[in-house]
Amino acid sequence: MATAEATERQVMGDTPPRAASPGLPEEMSFLDHLEEFRWRILKGLMGIGIGVIVAFFFSDFIMDKVLLGPAKGDFFMYQLVGINAGDLDLQNRRLPGQFFTYWGTLLVVGFIIGVPAFFYQLWAFIAPALEPGERKGTRFVVFNITMLFIMGVAFGYLILTPFAVQFFSNFQISESVRNDIDINAYFSALTLWSLSSGLIFQLPMVSYILSKIGLLTPELLRKHRKWAIIVCFILAAFLTPPDPISQLIIAFPLLLLYQLGIYISKVVNRKRDREIFGAEGRPE
């Protein structure tokens, strides 16, 4: 027996071979990881920079037809939902106002165009450290974060912005006070509503991630659903004209996102319980 063990030790060596790590190459140090992360961030910013360049080349169309679209009474969304809208008389009150508004808005548009490349670079940095199954799941997360962000921006631009623009531009505390809207305030509100909607549409993915790490359960979401409904309708009432149809158009997608978050949390928690407690799931 001893002879067999000695022979095996001579073949395999005194030290057992180390298992290969599924992550990044073993020889990479902490500084190497930082360098890799820095280059991924730079490549992501390059993607956003390309988006800014694309926005610059199409700036006339983007400014006149897209960004100034909700300020015009003939905007197609007003006709689609049957709103009798009027044109906004935008004014520039500062000497460099249009210049800074022009470039600031193009940067935001370029960010929206290039954000898929930025998300991809973040995933490319994390992916080598994951198992094949985890890598596939992470690709699913990154893809959905990107798609939900784009859908949210589209919702903010096509639905939220037109209603909010018409409501706030026609609201008056007195007939003696006239609404003269500054161009900088208009573009700031437009980008704020669009980007905020892009972030709000991340609610399903937030539910997925928090449920994946065990911080969120469907029971908790159901418990606070009534408060979520109230918040959605308050937000819709604040941003839309005082009619029920407009409020439902805004509130319904928000409620749908919340309900989708409950379903996602239920599926993720069920799968997580099976991984921890076995096929029978969490004991009652």
Side-chain angles (χ1 to χ4, degrees):
M1 178 67 66
T3 304
E5 290 180 355
T7 304
E8 183 179 357
R9 184 173 300 177
Q10 290 177 358
V11 174
M12 299 184 61
D14 293 335
T15 305
R18 299 179 61 182
S21 173
L24 295 172
E26 185 179 351
E27 63 272 9
M28 290 187 67
S29 64
F30 177 74
L31 294 179
D32 293 330
H33 287 294
L34 288 180
E35 182 70 13
E36 173 71 11
F37 181 70
R38 184 175 73 89
W39 278 107
R40 290 296 180 183
I41 293 295
L42 289 176
K43 290 179 181 179
L45 294 177
M46 287 175 60
I48 294 177
I50 294 174
V52 174
I53 294 174
V54 172
F56 173 77
F57 277 105
F58 295 95
S59 60
D60 292 340
F61 173 80
I62 291 175
M63 287 292 176
D64 189 58
K65 299 298 181 182
V66 179
L67 299 179
L68 289 175
K72 300 176 181 178
D74 60 352
F75 186 53
F76 74 97
M77 286 301 300
Y78 297 139
Q79 301 175 5
L80 186 62
V81 298
I83 297 179
N84 186 18
D87 294 340
L88 268 66
D89 294 326
L90 299 177
Q91 299 183 10
N92 177 40
R93 300 178 180 275
R94 298 182 302 164
L95 184 61
Q98 293 199 51
F99 176 82
F100 287 113
T101 299
Y102 174 82
W103 284 106
T105 308
L106 284 185
L107 287 174
V108 174
V109 174
F111 171 79
I112 295 173
I113 296 175
V115 74
F118 188 82
F119 286 152
Y120 172 79
Q121 291 299 328
L122 291 180
W123 175 81
F125 173 75
I126 300 172
L130 302 176
E131 297 286 351
E134 295 175 335
R135 192 177 307 172
K136 183 178 179 180
T138 308
R139 188 184 298 114
F140 165 80
V141 170
V142 173
F143 174 79
N144 281 277
I145 288 176
T146 303
M147 294 305 299
L148 287 171
F149 179 78
I150 295 174
M151 291 172 58
V153 170
F155 174 82
Y157 170 74
L158 296 174
I159 304 297
L160 178 57
T161 295
F163 282 109
V165 164
Q166 290 302 312
F167 174 70
F168 289 119
S169 63
N170 292 309
F171 181 84
Q172 289 180 287
I173 59 176
S174 173
E175 293 183 357
S176 61
V177 181
R178 185 180 62 185
N179 285 329
D180 291 332
I181 302 174
D182 184 73
I183 186 174
N184 184 55
Y186 169 79
F187 280 109
S188 298
L190 174 64
T191 54
L192 175 63
W193 290 329
S194 299
L195 293 179
S196 298
S197 297
L199 296 178
I200 291 174
F201 268 59
Q202 300 301 318
L203 180 60
M205 296 313 302
V206 172
S207 176
Y208 174 84
I209 294 173
L210 293 181
S211 300
K212 192 75 173 177
I213 60 180
L215 296 180
L216 189 65
T217 62
E219 292 77 16
L220 181 63
L221 291 174
R222 292 193 189 101
K223 180 180 178 181
H224 294 90
R225 179 160 43 191
K226 60 181 180 180
W227 296 109
I229 294 174
I230 294 175
V231 170
C232 290
F233 275 98
I234 291 176
L235 182 62
F238 180 74
L239 295 176
T240 60
D243 66 89
I245 301 301
S246 301
Q247 294 176 13
L248 287 175
I249 291 176
I250 300 297
F252 181 73
L254 300 179
L255 294 174
L256 186 62
L257 286 172
Y258 191 85
Q259 187 62 37
L260 180 60
I262 295 176
Y263 174 77
I264 291 175
S265 180
K266 179 181 178 180
V267 173
V268 172
N269 275 274
R270 183 183 302 169
K271 182 179 179 181
R272 184 172 178 271
D273 290 343
R274 288 176 180 175
E275 293 175 350
I276 297 175
F277 301 103
E280 297 181 356
R282 181 187 295 270
E284 298 294 338

